Each structure stands twice: as C-alpha cells, then as structure tokens.
Amino acid sequence: MDNEMTLTFLALSENEALARVAVTGFIAQLDPTIDELSEFKTVVSEAVSNAIIHGYEEDGKGVVTVHAKREDDIVTVSVLDKGIGIEDISQAMEPLYTTKSAMERSGMGFTIMDSFSDQLTVMSKWQEGTTVTFTKKFYSVRTAVM
C-alpha cells in the first residue's frame, strides 16, 4: 500500500463537501484527468449522501467513515455508516429507486457509482449499517496525453 487515509464525520449534509475535498486531495498526487477527478468526486458524493440521507435519515448524530487507500495507480474507497441499512440491495441498486420519494430524489445513485467505478460493492445489514466500496484505476494526465 502506497498511502491510506480515514476521515470520520457527523452525518450532516454539509460534510459531503468535506469528504469530496479530502478524497480529491488524497488522489491529487496521481495527477488524474479532469474527467477522472469529476467522476470520482461524484461517486464519493453519492455514497456519502446515501449514508447521510438514507442511512441516518439526516439525524446529524450518526457517524460516517470514509476510508481510502492507494496502491500504485489504483484507489479504493469505502464509505461506512452504522445506520438503518438496506433491506434489499438489489432493489436499491435499480435506477431511480429511492427510499425518499417525497424528497424528489431520483434514485440512490448506485447506477452512477457503478458506471464511474471500475468495481463497486455494496454490503449492508438491515438495522446495522452499510458499506459502499469502490475502486478506480487512474491514468495520469501525462499518460492520457501520450
């Protein structure tokens, strides 16, 4: 392992930006392309938002943990909550499925996370929490241009 970080914060919507900035800083030394950076920030945002909105129902008391590790040019990030969990992961991963339809949510973002990651896994236990883990290989700007 080349590097590793762990960030823990309260389940407040304002902390989604904190997670994005921290993970962006963590991958910066890989010299990602603008597209890679944008996609990765989107995946982090979706996973953290799910933990806050669906896992803890925005109670502001639960704790979200973001763990990232880098091995060469591959980054793996896990977003963990100890919230209510997902009763049916297959259903939750369907496009446009949401547990918060009254909030005009257009799904839980798993389709987006999957399309912007090389690998996505969702593990959840009802009433115990959820861990979303995603992996992405980065091609530096210098490599992408050549």
Side-chain angles (χ1 to χ4, degrees):
M1 175 173 9
D2 295 334
N3 201 0
E4 182 175 15
M5 68 156 242
T6 302
L7 174 67
T8 303
F9 50 86
L10 289 177
L12 299 169
S13 291
E14 65 195 60
N15 287 331
E16 176 196 342
L18 171 65
R20 260 194 338 263
V21 168
V23 174
T24 299
F26 182 76
I27 66 171
Q29 64 257 13
L30 294 174
D31 199 17
T33 66
I34 297 296
D35 287 342
E36 288 175 328
L37 197 57
S38 177
E39 290 173 359
F40 206 70
K41 287 187 330 187
T42 298
V43 177
V44 170
S45 291
E46 292 288 342
V48 170
S49 291
N50 281 351
I52 294 167
I53 294 167
H54 300 283
Y56 292 117
E57 299 184 319
E58 298 183 88
D59 70 2
K61 297 175 187 168
V63 173
V64 178
T65 300
V66 177
H67 180 82
K69 66 180 179 178
R70 189 187 82 230
E71 296 179 34
D72 297 321
D73 54 0
I74 298 172
V75 177
T76 301
V77 175
S78 294
V79 177
L80 167 80
D81 70 69
K82 301 267 188 203
I84 63 170
I86 301 171
E87 200 166 9
D88 184 342
I89 294 173
S90 296
Q91 183 181 36
M93 293 185 83
E94 290 177 14
L96 303 178
Y97 174 79
T98 183
T99 62
K100 303 291 182 191
S101 55
M103 295 176 65
E104 297 183 23
R105 296 269 171 204
S106 58
M108 294 178 71
F110 288 119
T111 304
I112 293 167
M113 287 186 254
D114 190 41
S115 69
F116 287 163
S117 302
D118 295 330
Q119 182 176 3
L120 174 73
T121 57
V122 180
M123 297 175 54
S124 189
K125 205 163 194 185
W126 185 243
Q127 300 299 325
E128 292 185 25
T130 302
T131 302
V132 175
T133 302
F134 51 95
T135 302
K136 185 165 183 71
K137 178 179 174 66
F138 286 87
Y139 300 92
S140 76
V141 171
R142 289 176 293 243
T143 305
V145 172
M146 295 178 173

